[in-house]
Amino acid sequence: MEKKATSCTAILVGKNASIDGSTIIARDEDGYDGINPITFRVFPAKDYTGEHYVSSYNGLAVDLSGKGCRFTATPAGVDKKDGTLESGRWDEQGINEYNVAMSSTETETTNPRVLGHDPLVKNGVNEDSMLYLVLPFIRSAREGVQRLGSLIEKYGTGETNGIAFSDKDEVWYLETAGGHQWVAQRIPDDAYAIAPNNMCIQEIDFDDSDNFMYAPGIQEFVKKYHLNPYPGKFNFRKIFATEDEADAYYNTPRTWYGQKLFNPSIEQEPTSQDMPFIRRPEKKIAVEDVEFFLSSHYNQTPYDPMGTYSSGTPDEMKRFRSIALDRNQSSCILQIRNDVPAEYAAIQWINFGFHSYSPYVPFFTNVNDTPANYAYAPEEAEPEKSAYWMYKLLEVIVEPRYHEFINEVNAFRDQCQSYAVSRVDAITAGAAHKSGQELINFLTAENEISANHTTTSARKLLNSLIHQALLNSKFQFERGDNL
């Protein structure tokens, strides 16, 4: 199984822009097609000294050293019968034991002129390896930017990507360009940023090391090859990005919709390629707001592909690439709270399947294991054992009868969210008088309870929908119908 990540959507929120003072980085992971089994796992701390890492995806070889900390991740599921991963690690999103979060990656594109001067590197540091090579070794978001940047400079990359980092204080977004160029910007504490599949970072202030980092030779590279169309300033997006018609219909509408949610007073066109990367929201942003955005499909606009013809024309409903679509695989909201002790401040909210139908489940990350059905996702469909496949089955059942089932699905998701909020409160209270291994064991057990409850609720929903579908088949014939 070759994994190709071609379409994801991300949102980053500074601590003063969130409703509770948390930092948040979050991303939908969308695959190349509708199937790409995903798991949720925790990897223990270990000494990496002497490890010769080789990517089974593209052959990247890196000699590692030093002690690495424990971290969570959402890696690819098993794709061979013997349990190995021939398609690579693809750890994607997680939080380490120092409460540093990393989300990798948001697939982007570099324009052809830049690629002519700095081609992509076939066996460079790509999405499949990034989190494993960085997250175990960092103690802050800033360190994450520095470590990944140095790896890109040394080994190059075969992709153009955006990568998010956060800790309790800072949120950073790093973007690569060509084979070896990169920049990173800190998201202001009172701001949020939305990243679809195009380059986002705009003006770079090379004298502001508090808020910008970059490859050491990037200015000389741009000057040498006459790449800057606007002398006197350095707009990373304008210099390195593509800005074609495909971007206007595939990418920018997602930014438009997110900014419409959080800055409704601002009028913009969905196809505008000049929308700012960073905005100050008109209201504080909650986890529920992030969930809504990441599972949205241009709701209550003419562009909703799940709407009705009364809300938009057939052309409008298919005009733009939706955030929620069949290629949704997993969605993670990485939340670092600032109003509780560090030992239980980090929560990884996980949604598997089609994000408009599935719930987000809060998993505390200071743990030594993950629930069995979240850690298992084989190549073959096994909804009884795998959370990934259970929620993919929900997608199969709901999609053909969307308007018939969506109210019941939405009620299920609302109930799960209320339960999730209550669980965060209860687990936080229960953790207050625990420490060390006792606390880790407690959080691990409580995550199991949260997962089991939500899994049971999902199975009840599936049972209800299956019965309704079977009892309302269009292919019925009663004796006497033609009499």
Side-chain angles (χ1 to χ4, degrees):
M1 180 188 298
E2 182 180 1
K3 172 169 176 174
K4 299 178 182 178
T6 59
S7 52
C8 304
T9 307
I11 179 171
L12 304 85
V13 183
K15 61 184 179 182
N16 294 336
S18 70
I19 200 168
D20 64 353
S22 298
T23 60
I24 296 172
I25 59 174
R27 180 173 62 89
D28 286 347
E29 182 189 343
D30 303 332
Y32 183 71
D33 54 31
I35 300 174
N36 183 36
I38 302 294
T39 62
F40 173 49
R41 298 175 60 190
V42 58
F43 295 93
K46 69 176 185 178
D47 189 343
Y48 289 79
T49 301
E51 178 177 338
H52 181 65
Y53 172 79
V54 178
S55 166
S56 57
Y57 176 68
N58 73 337
L60 167 72
V62 179
D63 288 321
L64 298 174
S65 64
K67 293 182 178 181
C69 67
R70 185 193 66 231
F71 66 97
T72 63
T74 52
V78 174
D79 59 7
K80 290 181 68 176
K81 296 299 183 183
D82 64 359
T84 59
L85 289 167
E86 66 178 4
S87 62
R89 292 189 58 95
W90 306 92
D91 290 299
E92 297 295 331
Q93 306 189 70
I95 301 174
N96 72 19
E97 67 181 86
Y98 301 114
N99 289 351
V100 182
M102 179 179 178
S103 176
S104 56
T105 68
E106 190 71 27
T107 303
E108 301 176 353
T109 52
T110 303
N111 69 56
R113 186 177 185 186
V114 171
L115 289 175
H117 298 296
D118 185 9
L120 297 173
V121 179
K122 182 179 180 180
N123 60 343
V125 180
N126 288 356
E127 177 178 347
D128 68 300
S129 300
M130 283 183 180
L131 190 139
Y132 183 73
L133 296 178
V134 174
L135 191 57
F137 303 98
I138 58 176
R139 294 176 179 247
S140 70
R142 188 177 292 264
E143 282 187 18
V145 171
Q146 293 167 338
R147 181 174 175 88
L148 180 57
S150 66
L151 288 169
I152 298 297
E153 293 162 27
K154 181 176 181 179
Y155 297 98
T157 181
E159 305 163 341
T160 302
N161 285 312
I163 302 95
F165 296 92
S166 65
D167 54 37
K168 70 181 182 65
D169 293 315
E170 297 187 347
V171 176
W172 283 84
Y173 195 62
L174 182 153
E175 292 185 302
T176 70
H180 303 85
Q181 311 306 315
W182 65 273
V183 299
Q185 181 173 12
R186 180 184 174 186
I187 308 304
D189 292 342
D190 61 347
Y192 72 97
I194 290 172
N197 297 115
N198 60 339
M199 286 186 188
C200 299
I201 297 175
Q202 295 169 291
E203 298 292 335
I204 306 297
D205 185 345
F206 291 99
D207 296 320
D208 183 1
S209 60
D210 289 337
N211 295 294
F212 294 93
M213 287 185 272
Y214 45 86
I218 193 169
Q219 289 173 281
E220 291 73 18
F221 172 77
V222 169
K223 182 178 180 181
K224 177 180 179 180
Y225 294 111
H226 312 290
L227 298 176
N228 192 349
Y230 302 99
K233 56 184 179 180
F234 196 101
N235 187 310
F236 181 75
R237 184 195 297 178
K238 295 294 184 183
I239 296 170
F240 290 93
T242 58
E243 288 187 317
D244 55 26
E245 187 176 13
D247 287 318
Y249 287 85
Y250 192 83
N251 290 316
T252 62
R254 286 178 273 163
T255 299
W256 166 79
Y257 188 69
Q259 294 188 359
K260 179 180 176 66
L261 293 176
F262 305 126
N263 292 90
S265 67
I266 296 174
E267 295 291 335
Q268 302 176 122
E269 290 298 319
T271 55
S272 170
Q273 301 202 36
D274 292 317
M275 284 181 280
F277 175 44
I278 292 172
R279 288 280 196 196
R280 269 73 182 180
E282 294 174 18
K283 67 167 188 173
K284 297 288 188 178
I285 298 174
V287 165
E288 288 81 0
D289 298 316
V290 176
E291 291 179 0
F292 180 85
F293 170 66
L294 291 178
S295 57
S296 65
H297 38 87
Y298 307 122
N299 308 50
Q300 298 184 314
T301 78
Y303 311 114
D304 185 353
M306 302 179 193
T308 62
Y309 289 157
S310 61
S311 60
T313 67
D315 174 70
E316 287 174 325
M317 293 168 65
K318 296 180 180 179
R319 186 168 298 174
F320 303 131
R321 186 269 200 205
S322 176
I323 295 169
L325 76 174
D326 67 333
R327 294 196 301 275
N328 290 161
Q329 307 298 340
S330 79
S331 181
C332 287
I333 300 171
L334 308 177
Q335 178 187 20
I336 312 297
R337 300 182 293 170
N338 275 297
D339 59 349
V340 298
E343 290 75 15
Y344 46 92
I347 302 175
Q348 185 163 351
W349 298 76
I350 296 179
N351 180 330
F352 283 161
F354 190 92
H355 306 148
S356 293
Y357 309 152
S358 310
Y360 283 84
V361 182
F363 293 105
F364 287 72
T365 60
N366 186 15
V367 295
N368 53 28
D369 202 357
T370 58
N373 65 329
Y374 275 80
Y376 180 64
E379 187 175 4
E380 301 298 323
E382 295 188 35
E384 287 299 314
K385 296 181 179 179
S386 167
Y388 171 85
W389 281 112
M390 179 181 68
Y391 289 118
K392 279 295 182 178
L393 175 60
L394 181 62
E395 175 186 344
V396 170
I397 294 171
V398 173
E399 184 174 317
R401 297 172 179 263
Y402 174 82
H403 293 287
E404 181 181 346
F405 289 160
I406 192 58
N407 287 335
E408 188 171 351
V409 170
N410 286 339
F412 156 74
R413 295 179 77 235
D414 286 345
Q415 291 167 1
C416 288
Q417 183 60 24
S418 295
Y419 172 78
V421 171
S422 71
R423 287 296 292 159
V424 170
D425 288 346
I427 296 170
T428 298
H433 303 293
K434 296 177 175 61
S435 61
Q437 192 60 47
E438 181 189 16
L439 174 61
I440 293 173
N441 293 340
F442 169 76
L443 296 177
T444 302
E446 292 300 306
N447 281 352
E448 186 83 23
I449 293 171
S450 299
N452 288 343
H453 177 94
T454 308
T455 297
T456 299
S457 297
R459 287 174 178 163
K460 287 180 180 178
L461 173 66
L462 282 165
N463 182 68
S464 172
L465 299 182
I466 289 170
H467 277 76
Q468 291 178 60
L470 291 173
L471 293 173
N472 291 281
S473 171
K474 298 176 182 179
F475 300 100
Q476 296 181 352
F477 194 95
E478 295 295 334
R479 184 179 183 188
D481 279 351
N482 288 335
L483 296 181

